[in-house]
Amino acid sequence: MSNRESRSGGYPDILLGRKSLGRYPVHKLRRVDAITTEVRGEIQRVDQTQNGFELAGAGAYGEKCRTEYERSMTKFPLDYALAEFVGSIFSPYGTGPVAPEKAPLPNDPAILSEHIRSLGYFLGADLVGVCELPQWALYSRDAERDPIVCTHKYAIVLLSEWDYKTTSGSLGDDWISDACSFVAYDRTAHMAVAMAAYIRRLGYKAKANFETGDFNPTFDMPVTPLIVLSGLGELSRAGWALSPFLGGRFKASVVTTDLELRPDRPIDFGLQSFCRVCKRCAEECPSRAISDSDLMVLKNGIMTYEFDVERCTKYRIMNQNGAFCGKCIKVCPWTKPEGPTHDLVRAAIRATPFLNRAWVKFDKWLGYGQQDIRYKWWFDLEEVGGRHRIPKRSPDNDYWKK
Ligand code: SF4
Ligand code: SF4
């Protein structure tokens, strides 16, 4: 054994966190002790039946919205193709029997965390984070109104990005929008199921939480708090967790487990001061669901910007010019891919918060957030009554208000 190996207990650099299979420089992020969202009280568990899509499906947003909800996943053929098989393939394997005997693993949560992180990258994740799983982060009830019970101590969060060029080629709320989500959801479903099955074979409990596309997601929790807690992002003005490397251009799955791990710390890359002045998502949101106010409100124990779930959900479901919507993600200045120029700007934003307004203006001036038609590779098609037609684009898409 070399001197270096003996100093490290004989473990290779990758299990000591000195190397990574991941391609993003997460080691350069500023780690902090507490999340950058201000917590002002007790956070209550939320009921999954009260999320926007569940309410829409139950008719709470009106009969037209309920009817559109039922056809929403099937109206664009690629969306349907990506979403229809995930549930039937993966749902039976989210949980399963645990091996009766524990495998001889290192008795070191830090080493095990790096092992699991590397596994996530090996399976294809773009970013992997680990956090403790507080009970408040779980839904109180699932969509079937059954109480959610999960005593696993840790959550492993797996992010999968979707193609930036495709996002550039879209309007953000046209036909490809939801397919972008589902191509990432499909990948994360596979990663989560494989990771949970592996942990169970090692003799520890584990459950995969992922989106199935058949209105029957397996999530025991909303993912945004866990993305923030595991140091993969900060809470944004738009209400979703924003990654410093991907913006909101990703989807997540979660593996919960009782395998002893070492949690990652939250990050601070300057998003709170950036969101305060940027407001790009609020300006471009077609349903005006995102607040452009400077004031934050206290919502379930945290200080956050107002967000109108009903307006967003109705627009996404009843959008007649596309399938769902991701315009806030498309126009967000952080959505750009890695690359020397963008990485330099990200670093500059972190270092010069007083220039945030100028950065936002510069971003707009360069035309980011506009459609780059050179990358529109898909055909706009709408399935109606089992037949495809080329949809007409209405200049006034306010069907969702009716
Ligand atoms: S998804 Fe679309 S409607 Fe919803 S907040 Fe984002 S931009 Fe607005
Ligand atoms: S568009 Fe601007 S305000 Fe909205 S989430 Fe992104 S950085 Fe924050």
Side-chain angles (χ1 to χ4, degrees):
M1 190 184 288
S2 69
N3 284 344
R4 189 172 176 189
E5 279 174 329
S6 65
R7 279 202 306 275
S8 61
Y11 293 112
D13 281 356
I14 197 157
L15 291 179
L16 297 168
R18 295 174 186 157
K19 294 254 178 234
S20 172
L21 295 185
R23 70 171 193 267
Y24 291 108
V26 289
H27 60 282
K28 290 188 181 166
L29 293 168
R30 189 158 85 91
R31 298 280 165 178
V32 287
D33 290 333
I35 62 170
T36 54
T37 302
E38 190 185 341
V39 180
R40 278 216 189 153
E42 208 173 313
I43 305 174
Q44 304 293 328
R45 292 170 69 169
V46 294
D47 185 333
Q48 197 179 5
T49 62
Q50 297 306 301
N51 88 26
F53 285 107
E54 294 300 330
L55 289 170
Y61 298 153
E63 184 54 21
K64 274 189 181 165
C65 188
R66 195 194 63 73
T67 313
E68 282 291 294
Y69 171 78
E70 284 179 358
R71 99 177 178 101
S72 55
M73 289 304 304
T74 62
K75 64 183 186 181
F76 181 57
L78 179 56
D79 206 4
Y80 195 20
L82 284 164
E84 73 171 328
F85 65 90
V86 183
S88 57
I89 293 179
F90 293 122
S91 290
Y93 305 104
T95 57
V98 177
E101 198 175 308
K102 290 191 173 12
L105 298 173
N107 186 23
D108 183 336
I111 298 288
L112 293 176
S113 287
E114 295 310 324
H115 171 65
I116 290 294
R117 192 187 320 282
S118 299
L119 172 64
Y121 289 131
F122 173 71
L123 291 170
D126 292 297
L127 288 159
V128 184
V130 176
C131 63
E132 285 196 14
L133 177 63
Q135 283 294 303
W136 61 256
L138 296 164
Y139 286 125
S140 54
R141 292 191 302 176
D142 66 16
E144 307 298 320
R145 299 176 190 281
D146 293 324
I148 297 232
V149 179
C150 175
T151 56
H152 297 169
K153 193 173 169 193
Y154 299 100
I156 304 147
V157 185
L158 304 155
L159 303 191
S160 176
E161 65 181 289
W162 69 75
D163 181 50
Y164 175 72
K165 287 181 184 152
T166 300
T167 291
S168 317
S170 89
L171 291 165
D173 60 345
D174 53 7
W175 296 90
I176 198 69
S177 297
D178 201 42
C180 288
S181 295
F182 268 92
V183 77
Y185 273 137
D186 289 4
R187 292 192 205 116
T188 57
H190 168 250
M191 294 167 204
V193 164
M195 181 178 279
Y198 169 68
I199 294 172
R200 291 194 299 268
R201 292 188 79 81
L202 298 178
Y204 297 86
K205 293 178 191 160
K207 183 189 171 194
N209 297 260
F210 54 93
E211 175 62 58
T212 58
D214 54 3
F215 299 128
N216 191 23
T218 65
F219 283 109
D220 282 349
M221 71 292 282
V223 293
T224 299
L226 297 187
I227 295 171
V228 175
L229 288 172
S230 62
L232 296 178
E234 288 185 56
L235 185 65
S236 73
R237 175 181 285 274
W240 29 261
L242 195 156
S243 153
F245 306 111
L246 305 172
R249 187 172 45 84
F250 65 83
K251 287 297 172 191
S253 62
V254 175
V255 174
T256 61
T257 182
D258 65 355
L259 176 68
E260 201 62 38
L261 298 170
R262 186 186 65 180
D264 295 316
R265 292 163 71 212
I267 55 173
D268 179 354
F269 57 96
L271 184 69
Q272 302 314 309
S273 55
F274 195 87
C275 275
R276 204 170 298 134
V277 300
C278 168
K279 305 181 181 178
R280 206 63 215 275
C281 51
E283 287 163 11
E284 305 265 358
C285 169
S287 74
R288 296 283 176 263
I290 305 169
S291 166
D292 63 359
S293 167
D294 292 340
L295 296 176
M296 297 180 113
V297 293
L298 182 63
K299 198 168 147 195
N300 193 18
I302 63 166
M303 292 303 289
T304 182
Y305 294 101
E306 287 270 22
F307 183 84
D308 193 324
V309 176
E310 181 173 343
R311 290 178 84 89
C312 171
T313 309
K314 282 173 86 170
Y315 182 80
R316 291 166 82 189
I317 290 173
M318 298 169 82
N319 176 5
Q320 300 298 294
N321 284 333
F324 294 86
C325 175
K327 192 137 193 149
C328 45
I329 292 170
K330 177 189 162 69
V331 300
C332 176
W334 293 86
T335 294
K336 297 179 194 67
E338 59 185 330
T341 314
H342 294 156
D343 293 349
L344 197 67
V345 172
R346 284 188 177 101
I349 288 173
R350 280 194 285 275
T352 57
F354 53 93
L355 289 177
N356 282 347
R357 271 180 223 281
W359 287 120
V360 176
K361 278 192 184 153
F362 189 53
D363 195 76
K364 258 196 221 173
W365 182 76
L366 288 173
Y368 286 113
Q370 303 296 315
Q371 182 182 30
D372 186 345
I373 198 75
R374 294 174 303 166
Y375 293 115
K376 188 176 181 295
W377 55 264
W378 62 97
F379 300 120
D380 291 344
L381 288 170
E382 182 176 15
E383 188 178 308
V384 182
R387 303 187 68 178
H388 289 110
R389 68 180 188 194
I390 297 174
K392 287 192 193 122
R393 188 160 180 92
S394 158
D396 178 22
N397 188 12
D398 59 1
Y399 182 74
W400 64 279
K401 291 182 189 161
K402 294 171 185 158

